[in-house]
């Protein structure tokens, strides 16, 4: 009901990843998630796990949000892995 948990994700650059997302609430506008700069949008049916495949990305910050932009998050692609 209060947004994405976690709303800040960190991944290594250049490696494809699969995010597993599950919407636990029927309320609010989080019926989908969008990564605008990547051209990715996925519907999030309540209670179901949705897999989102992302290609290897360049280092930087990529935002994601619900369809209305009320819930937001950040995908940080790191230049090098965390120690």
């Amino acid at each position: 009901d209060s947004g994405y948990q976690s709303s800040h994700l960190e991944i290594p650059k250049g490696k494809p990843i699969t995010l597993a997302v599950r919407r636990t609430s029927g309320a609010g506008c989080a019926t989908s998630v969008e990564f605008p700069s990547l051209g990715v949008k996925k519907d999030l049916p309540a209670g179901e796990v949705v897999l989102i495949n992302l290609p290897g990305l360049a280092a930087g910050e990529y935002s994601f949000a619900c369809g209305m932009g009320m819930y937001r998050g950040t995908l940080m692609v790191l230049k090098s892995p965390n120690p």
Side-chain angles (χ1 to χ4, degrees):
D1 291 332
S2 61
Y4 297 112
Q5 295 176 3
S6 169
S7 62
H8 180 81
L9 306 170
E10 294 182 352
I11 64 169
K13 76 172 183 170
K15 294 188 179 184
I17 64 159
T18 300
L19 299 175
V21 181
R22 183 171 50 95
R23 180 168 58 103
T24 58
S25 173
C29 70
T31 58
S32 66
V33 64
E34 299 181 23
F35 292 78
S37 63
L38 302 176
V40 173
K41 178 181 179 181
K42 291 286 187 173
D43 290 332
L44 301 175
E48 293 183 26
V49 174
V50 175
L51 300 179
I52 302 171
N53 296 309
L54 298 176
L57 299 170
E61 184 175 303
Y62 300 83
S63 64
F64 59 91
C66 67
M68 294 178 62
M70 294 177 64
Y71 300 142
R72 299 178 174 274
T74 304
L75 177 67
M76 291 296 301
V77 180
L78 305 175
K79 292 180 183 178
S80 60
N82 283 338

